[in-house]
C-alpha cells in the first residue's frame, strides 16, 4: 500500500529476472516504469525465476529468487520498497542450481528442475519466510524432472520434461512428512518436452506447453485425474507459415495468456476449452517498438517472449522478452 497518484491505493512492482540477478521495477504508472534496484546473484545465464510470498504474521512480502548455472537461492524482504532493499534484507540460502523455475503457493515454495534427480524440492515458507526449511518429502526421483509446476488445493501439476508427461500429484500432508501420491499422468509422447502447465480456474482442464515445437499447446480434461484426456492440440494463428516455439502460459478467467517466443505475447479465448480462439497479440519479438512494422522474422529459434504474469490486482499483464 502506498500513494499511486490516485490510480490505486497501492503500488505495483514487476520482478524481472536477469541473466546475472533480479531487477525490481515500479510499474504503478504503467506508462512510465522505473527500475528501482538491481540485486545481483552469483550465477550466470538466463535460467532464473522469481515468485513472492506474503507472511501473514509479519505482513511482509518476500521474494524468492533462484536459478541454475551456479546460481543460489535467495529470500528478499520487499517491505523496504519503494526504498532500497539493504543487504540485511537479502539472504543467500545457498541451494546451488535448485531453481530452473520456482513458484510459491499456499505458503509452500517449489523449486523446479533442481538437477537430474532432485525434481521439485518443496520448502515451507509458512514456517519460516526468511529461510524456508526443506520438507522431508518432495516430488523427486528418476523421471520426475519437474521442469515447472503448479499447485492448487494440495494438487501439484508437474511438467516432467524429458519423461514427456504431465503428472497430477496429491501432496496433502506434505508438511507432516507424507509422501506425494501420483494420481494420474498424461500419455507419453515420443519427441516432446513437457515444459510447463497451468489449470483452468475450475481445475477441470489442464493447459500444457511443449517446448520442442511438435505440439505446442495441449488441453487435457483432468476432471478424472487418474485418466487425463487430450481434448485439443493447437498452435498460434500464424504457425502454418511462421513456426514459432511456445514457452509459458497462464490462465485467468476465460483467457489463456501465452509467452510464445518469436510469436510474442498471444491471448486465447478458452471459454470453450475444446476450441480455443486467438483473440489478442503483441509482437514483442517481431515488432518490439510497436510501430506496426516487423523488424525481425520468425526463425523457429529460442528468441523472444519468455514469460507472462497475470497476477497484478490492476489487471495489467507483464510480458518479459529475452532480447527486446
Amino acid at each position: 500500500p502506498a500513494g499511486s497518484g490516485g490510480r490505486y491505493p497501492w503500488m505495483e512492482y514487476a520482478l524481472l529476472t536477469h541473466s546475472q540477478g533480479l531487477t525490481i521495477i515500479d510499474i504503478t504508472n504503467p506508462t512510465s516504469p522505473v527500475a528501482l534496484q538491481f540485486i545481483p546473484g552469483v550465477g550466470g545465464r538466463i535460467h532464473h525465476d522469481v515468485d513472492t510470498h506474503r507472511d501473514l504474521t509479519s505482513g511482509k512480502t518476500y521474494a524468492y529468487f533462484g536459478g541454475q548455472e551456479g546460481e543460489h537461492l535467495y529470500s528478499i524482504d520487499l517491505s523496504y520498497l519503494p526504498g532500497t532493499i539493504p543487504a540485511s534484507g537479502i539472504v543467500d540460502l545457498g541451494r546451488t542450481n535448485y531453481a530452473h523455475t520456482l513458484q510459491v503457493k499456499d505458503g509452500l515454495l517449489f523449486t523446479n528442475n533442481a538437477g537430474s534427480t532432485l525434481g521439485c524440492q518443496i520448502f515451507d515458507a509458512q514456517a519460516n519466510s526468511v529461510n524456508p526449511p526443506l520438507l522431508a518429502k518432495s516430488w523427486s526421483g528418476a523421471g520426475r524432472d519437474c521442469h515447472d509446476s503448479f499447485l492448487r488445493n494440495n494438487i501439484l501439476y508437474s511438467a516432467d520434461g524429458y519423461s514427456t508427461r504431465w503428472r497430477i500429484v496429491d501432496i496433502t500432508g506434505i508438511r507432516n512428512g507424507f509422501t506425494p501420491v501420483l494420481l494420474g499422468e498424461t500419455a507419453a509422447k515420443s519427441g516432446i518436452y513437457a515444459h510447463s502447465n497451468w489449470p483452468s480456474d475450475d481445475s477441470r482442464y489442464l493447459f500444457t506447453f511443449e517446448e520442442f515445437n511438435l505440439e505446442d499447446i495441449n488441453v487435457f480434461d483432468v476432471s478424472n485425474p487418474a485418466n487425463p484426456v487430450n481434448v485439443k492440440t493447437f498452435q498460434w494463428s500464424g504457425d502454418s507459415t511462421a513456426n514459432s516455439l511456445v514457452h509459458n502460459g497462464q490462465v485467468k478467467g476465460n483467457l489463456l495468456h501465452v509467452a510464445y517466443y518469436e510469436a510474442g505475447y498471444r491471448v486465447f479465448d478458452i471459454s470453450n476449452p475444446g476450441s480455443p480462439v486467438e483473440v489478442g497479440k503483441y509482437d514483442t519479438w517481431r515488432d518490439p517498438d510497436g510501430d506496426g512494422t516487423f523488424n525481425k522474422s520468425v526463425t523457429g529459434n529460442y528468441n523472444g517472449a519468455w514469460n507472462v504474469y497475470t497476477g497484478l490486482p490492476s489487471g495489467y499483464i507483464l510480458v518479459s522478452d529475452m532480447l527486446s
Side-chain angles (χ1 to χ4, degrees):
S4 58
R7 197 169 72 93
Y8 310 120
W10 64 82
M11 296 184 73
E12 290 188 334
Y13 303 96
L15 305 182
L16 178 65
T17 62
H18 180 281
S19 62
Q20 303 294 329
L22 175 70
T23 299
I24 300 175
I25 306 169
D26 181 352
I27 57 168
T28 308
N29 180 353
T31 63
S32 299
V34 179
L36 298 179
Q37 186 173 356
F38 175 69
I39 299 174
V42 296
R45 292 195 65 197
I46 56 178
H47 300 124
H48 290 80
D49 203 2
V50 62
D51 204 354
T52 60
H53 164 67
R54 184 167 178 80
D55 186 311
L56 297 180
T57 301
S58 67
K60 293 183 176 182
T61 297
Y62 290 83
Y64 301 108
F65 164 73
Q68 293 183 309
E69 289 83 35
E71 188 59 271
H72 291 183
L73 183 67
Y74 298 84
S75 69
I76 302 170
D77 183 350
L78 299 180
S79 67
Y80 294 94
L81 297 175
T84 299
I85 301 171
S88 60
I90 304 168
V91 180
D92 185 341
L93 304 176
R95 305 291 180 182
T96 304
N97 298 330
Y98 257 58
H100 184 86
T101 63
L102 59 79
Q103 63 144 333
V104 181
K105 288 290 172 69
D106 298 339
L108 295 171
L109 166 63
F110 300 82
T111 64
N112 304 313
N113 199 220
S116 59
T117 59
L118 289 177
C120 178
Q121 296 291 288
I122 306 174
F123 299 81
D124 192 351
Q126 182 175 285
N128 186 334
S129 297
V130 177
N131 188 2
L134 179 63
L135 295 172
K137 303 291 184 180
S138 295
W139 180 247
S140 59
R144 298 178 179 182
D145 299 353
C146 195
H147 181 273
D148 207 350
S149 65
F150 182 97
L151 180 73
R152 179 181 291 152
N153 298 327
N154 290 317
I155 301 299
L156 183 71
Y157 302 88
S158 179
D160 279 337
Y162 288 110
S163 76
T164 74
R165 299 173 187 266
W166 288 269
R167 294 190 169 106
I168 304 170
V169 183
D170 186 349
I171 65 165
T172 303
I174 191 75
R175 287 188 169 96
N176 298 317
F178 287 95
T179 300
V181 176
L182 177 65
L183 299 179
E185 59 189 10
T186 63
K189 294 186 179 182
S190 178
I192 72 169
Y193 186 80
H195 182 268
S196 59
N197 51 220
W198 201 279
S200 58
D201 286 355
D202 62 6
S203 300
R204 177 176 177 179
Y205 296 94
L206 185 66
F207 294 83
T208 67
F209 307 94
E210 189 280 299
E211 196 181 24
F212 281 177
N213 204 27
L214 296 180
E215 296 186 336
D216 287 16
I217 308 175
N218 279 298
V219 187
F220 291 92
D221 184 336
V222 292
S223 53
N224 176 6
N227 183 35
V229 177
N230 193 176
V231 297
K232 184 66 175 179
T233 299
F234 67 100
Q235 301 183 345
W236 74 288
S237 58
D239 195 82
S240 61
T241 57
N243 191 4
S244 175
L245 296 92
V246 72
H247 201 220
N248 292 313
Q250 294 187 6
V251 173
K252 187 174 185 179
N254 287 328
L255 296 176
L256 173 65
H257 303 261
V258 181
Y260 220 116
Y261 277 118
E262 293 174 330
Y265 167 53
R266 297 279 156 171
V267 185
F268 300 87
D269 184 336
I270 54 170
S271 301
N272 178 357
S275 184
V277 177
E278 186 177 313
V279 293
K281 65 183 177 66
Y282 188 89
D283 278 286
T284 64
W285 166 253
R286 296 189 294 181
D287 181 19
D289 58 8
D291 67 355
T293 300
F294 289 164
N295 305 111
K296 305 170 186 174
S297 60
V298 175
T299 64
N301 291 316
Y302 294 96
N303 302 306
W306 181 255
N307 213 347
V308 60
Y309 181 75
T310 63
L312 293 176
S314 64
Y316 281 93
I317 306 298
L318 302 177
V319 183
S320 59
D321 186 282
M322 295 170 68
L323 295 173
S324 299

